[in-house]
Amino acid sequence: MEADPEVAIAGPKLRDWSQEPIIQQVGQTVDPFGRWINNLDPGEMDQGQHDEENDTLFVSSAGMIVRTDAYDELGGFDPRMTFQRDDFDLCWRAWIAGYRVRVVPMAIGYHVAAGERGGRPLGGERAGNVSYLTERHSLTALLKNYSMGRLALLLPIGTVLFLLRTVGLLATRR
């Protein structure tokens, strides 16, 4: 980050907090509707296959480092997003402001993911609301950061997809 002032945020390769070197994340991205795209296989072992440093849409707040001046300029984390996708929103705003976000796989972090696994209370609530918070905060980030033209294109498509998903969940009693 010292060598490139355009890089405002960087994050490590995250491994699962276990004896096995299982990769959780090496930078992250989403589809146009804010759904996380995972380019890793479930339980994928770290064998150096993702060790190339590169730009990414966002890195997890579990191990991110942020330039103080950029953090101040961006207004920090959105206080309405206390859990899930707060990192996505901050990194997206950094990109919009002209900064870059990098994943540095030589740095390795170990992440318990206690909130997602039910081991941490979430604002007085249990982790059963993780899916709800993820959806809510992803939608918030989309509405805040997309241009009006892009929203005009994606909202009708997203509405149809949401209705189809709702019907599917009802049909399967989920």
Side-chain angles (χ1 to χ4, degrees), residues 56-156:
T56 187
L57 177 59
F58 72 108
V59 294
S60 173
S61 58
M64 76 169 43
I65 185 170
V66 185
R67 286 184 187 280
T68 303
D69 58 333
Y71 185 82
D72 292 341
E73 179 185 334
L74 297 169
F77 288 104
D78 186 328
R80 297 171 294 178
M81 296 182 182
T82 56
F83 179 77
Q84 294 295 84
R85 298 299 187 260
D86 52 342
D87 41 18
F88 168 47
D89 176 62
L90 180 68
C91 291
W92 192 353
R93 287 186 285 127
W95 278 109
I96 291 169
Y99 292 109
R100 292 175 33 227
V101 177
R102 302 272 297 163
V103 61
V104 183
M106 289 180 62
I108 298 173
Y110 294 88
H111 189 221
V112 174
E116 294 168 3
R117 294 179 178 164
R120 176 176 76 161
L122 307 174
E125 303 170 41
R126 295 302 304 163
N129 291 327
V130 170
S131 293
Y132 167 75
L133 292 172
T134 300
E135 296 292 334
R136 183 180 82 178
H137 295 166
S138 294
L139 181 60
T140 300
L142 295 175
L143 292 172
K144 284 174 48 181
N145 297 313
Y146 268 143
S147 68
M148 291 303 285
R150 185 78 166 172
L151 282 174
L153 174 69
L154 290 176
L155 280 178

Side-chain angles (χ1 to χ4, degrees), residues 13-81:
K13 170 179 15 182
L14 287 179
R15 285 186 186 166
D16 194 44
W17 191 276
S18 67
Q19 296 294 328
E20 300 294 326
I22 299 170
I23 305 174
Q24 274 187 4
Q25 302 169 14
V26 186
Q28 300 181 83
T29 192
V30 296
D31 70 13
F33 301 100
R35 302 200 60 87
W36 181 35
I37 298 172
N38 188 354
N39 294 323
L40 302 171
D41 293 326
E44 184 173 343
M45 302 293 270
D46 186 5
Q47 300 171 3
Q49 69 273 35
H50 300 286
D51 281 358
E52 187 172 324
E53 187 174 318
N54 54 48
D55 287 351
T56 187
L57 177 59
F58 72 108
V59 294
S60 173
S61 58
M64 76 169 43
I65 185 170
V66 185
R67 286 184 187 280
T68 303
D69 58 333
Y71 185 82
D72 292 341
E73 179 185 334
L74 297 169
F77 288 104
D78 186 328
R80 297 171 294 178
M81 296 182 182

